[in-house]
Amino acid sequence: MNNPNIVILGAGYGGIMTAVKLQKSLGANDANITLVNKHSYHYQTTWLHENAAGTLHHDKTRIAIKDVVDTSKINFVQDTVTNILPEEKKVKLENSELSYDYLVIGLGFEAATFGIPGLKEHAYTINSINSSRLIRQHIEYNFAKYNNEANPKEERLNLVVGGAGFTGIEFAGELANRVPELCKEYDIPREKVRIVVVEAAPTALPGFDPELVEYAMNSLEAKGVEFKIGAMIKEVTGDKLVFEKDEQREEIATNTVVWAAGVRGNSLVEESGFEANRGRIEVDPDLRSKQYSDVFIVGDCALIFNDETGRPYPPTAQIAIQQAEQTAANLKKLVQGEKELEPFNPDLKGTVASLGHDDAIGVVFDDKKLFGWSASAMKKVIDNRYLLKLGGVGLLLKKGKLNFFK
């Protein structure tokens, strides 16, 4: 095959890293590589909760694609994918159409609302720069509006987080840091503001180490965060959230519900005919679709089972980045005429969850537990390492979290 066409859909962790690795391993005359993305930038999904709370400006989180992609080797197309036609080896975009010999699908995730009435219409989600910016502006508007009403509305100052998984806990931690600043700015007593985390499971951070969960909850409760554990959300309206706990229905007056309790792969993959489970495509060991050997899947759209537990690996940034590196290596093999591809073997180095700017919990390096500042510093090391891998020292200095005490 002469100069095969490689098309990469999405510039999330999996897509952008696949592109960067390919531009380093293949020459300009080895393949025609095209990266398609809706926006002109890549963003760090794991920082979006900070943007949403207003503790980190969104410009810090987004990275211009042209700053990390060599356009002399990779053709960048800013457009929206509307359909994938695997039988025809084509991708339809809003403004054009692409043909491919090899396709990499890295289209990211969507919120899973589980059919809860009113959730889709009235709740906010942390899934992009724009959605995070909207949450920040909405919260600030409610604080500004509160003292400008003859009869201030209670629901303006009740901030509810749906879900106590990683995203929910990290967002609650950022809110706990941000709220005192907002109270001071808008002349509102701190005791009037509630931050409530509602979780259906019997514990926060389900599946995480109990000692770390206890530390996280104690830390956040000390900052004023309330937890409703074992509470099933039943309905969300424009001015309240209804949940059921111990067979009792309760309500929280609020017009700010941020849903962080479930994600699924991009629905476009199902609409394009791939066999998928909630938008995630089960792949072969080499990350190719079981239906189409010319299609690789990375990131949130890939469904990979852990042989030891029999459960799917979580769709984390860490795994997406490793999938991208393996996919780029296998694409290089295919371009060079090799048929034997390497299987993907995740190398899980640990997990760290932030609890605000100077606090965190984590498990790293063969189950070593970290608490407090040391865990927070480790999270910054992980974030900085990714920037270094993606764009080198220049990107690290421009976008990195280099102050370990803030």
Side-chain angles (χ1 to χ4, degrees):
M1 184 185 296
N2 295 322
N3 291 340
N5 294 323
I6 300 173
V7 176
I8 304 167
L9 304 181
Y13 288 108
I16 194 77
M17 187 60 75
T18 300
V20 167
K21 290 297 181 181
L22 283 176
Q23 74 184 11
K24 293 179 179 177
S25 62
L26 292 178
N29 297 321
D30 292 331
N32 304 314
I33 306 171
T34 301
L35 172 65
V36 181
N37 196 58
K38 181 178 181 179
H39 302 290
S40 63
Y41 55 82
H42 158 74
Y43 57 82
Q44 295 232 59
T45 308
T46 55
W47 291 6
L48 289 178
H49 62 283
E50 298 176 67
N51 306 147
T55 53
L56 182 72
H57 195 276
H58 55 267
D59 281 343
K60 190 78 170 179
T61 299
R62 61 184 176 185
I63 299 165
I65 289 174
K66 64 179 177 60
D67 286 349
V68 294
V69 167
D70 183 350
T71 54
S72 69
K73 290 185 175 182
I74 294 180
N75 176 37
F76 171 58
V77 176
Q78 186 177 342
D79 207 339
T80 300
V81 181
T82 59
N83 199 9
I84 302 169
L85 305 172
E87 298 289 351
E88 301 176 33
K89 299 167 76 74
K90 292 181 178 179
V91 176
K92 290 195 172 183
L93 311 177
E94 282 188 353
N95 301 298
S96 63
E97 183 178 283
L98 297 172
S99 297
Y100 65 82
D101 294 297
Y102 301 112
L103 180 67
V104 180
I105 298 177
L107 289 171
F109 68 92
E110 299 173 357
T113 58
F114 306 114
I116 298 172
L119 191 64
K120 186 175 181 180
E121 295 80 7
H122 300 291
Y124 296 85
T125 55
I126 305 174
N127 58 9
S128 69
I129 290 287
N130 288 332
S131 70
S132 299
R133 185 162 42 195
L134 181 62
I135 293 169
R136 174 181 60 80
Q137 292 172 342
H138 170 77
I139 291 172
E140 291 180 359
Y141 171 81
N142 276 286
F143 272 74
K145 189 74 173 174
Y146 184 78
N147 281 329
N148 283 287
E149 296 174 315
N151 297 300
K153 296 179 180 179
E154 175 189 2
E155 61 262 28
R156 293 197 184 281
L157 302 183
N158 291 341
L159 311 177
V160 179
V161 181
F166 263 62
T167 301
I169 287 294
E170 291 193 319
F171 180 57
E174 296 301 322
L175 280 180
N177 283 347
R178 180 66 172 143
V179 161
E181 298 173 357
L182 290 172
C183 288
K184 184 177 180 180
E185 182 175 354
Y186 293 104
D187 302 314
I188 296 172
R190 172 63 182 86
E191 59 270 18
K192 286 185 176 291
V193 182
R194 295 178 67 192
I195 304 171
V196 186
V197 179
V198 182
E199 170 58 53
T203 177
L205 294 168
F208 214 59
D209 182 273
E211 185 180 8
L212 295 175
V213 174
E214 182 180 9
Y215 175 92
M217 291 185 67
N218 289 340
S219 175
L220 293 179
E221 285 174 338
K223 298 176 183 178
V225 177
E226 304 172 41
F227 285 92
K228 304 291 184 182
I229 302 297
M232 184 76 70
I233 296 176
K234 291 297 183 180
E235 183 184 7
V236 179
T237 72
D239 59 6
K240 70 177 182 293
L241 176 138
V242 181
F243 66 91
E244 187 176 285
K245 179 176 171 64
D246 299 327
E247 300 184 354
Q248 298 293 319
R249 289 176 72 89
E250 299 182 42
E251 295 182 1
I252 301 173
T254 180
N255 67 0
T256 305
V257 176
V258 177
W259 178 246
V263 297
R264 47 159 291 146
N266 195 305
S267 57
L268 182 67
V269 300
E270 293 167 318
E271 296 166 3
S272 298
F274 289 91
E275 295 176 3
N277 181 352
R278 292 177 60 200
R280 301 181 70 190
I281 304 169
E282 186 173 353
V283 295
D284 284 330
D286 56 18
L287 299 177
R288 288 189 289 184
S289 160
K290 290 181 176 296
Q291 294 171 271
Y292 305 99
S293 61
D294 51 8
V295 179
F296 290 83
I297 320 292
V298 297
D300 298 290
C301 293
L303 181 61
I304 305 172
F305 287 90
N306 185 329
D307 292 336
E308 294 182 5
T309 65
R311 297 176 60 84
Y313 283 105
T316 63
Q318 177 182 188
I319 287 181
I321 293 163
Q322 292 180 15
Q323 289 172 341
E325 293 171 331
Q326 187 64 62
T327 295
N330 280 336
L331 280 168
K332 180 183 179 182
K333 284 177 176 287
L334 290 172
V335 169
Q336 295 177 339
E338 297 183 41
K339 297 187 181 298
E340 293 295 324
L341 303 187
E342 294 295 326
F344 174 64
N345 294 303
D347 179 18
L348 303 183
K349 300 181 183 302
T351 308
V352 182
S354 67
L355 305 173
H357 69 270
D358 59 352
D359 199 4
I361 55 170
V363 178
V364 297
F365 308 134
D366 298 324
D367 296 330
K368 177 179 174 58
K369 299 177 188 177
L370 296 178
F371 303 83
W373 181 86
S374 61
S376 180
M378 178 57 71
K379 185 167 180 62
K380 291 182 175 68
V381 168
I382 294 169
D383 292 340
N384 290 338
R385 181 175 179 269
Y386 168 68
L387 292 172
L388 190 63
K389 182 179 291 189
L390 181 67
V393 175
L395 185 62
L396 173 62
L397 294 176
K398 186 177 181 180
K399 299 288 185 177
K401 293 183 176 181
L402 304 178
N403 186 347
F404 288 81
F405 297 94
K406 183 177 179 181

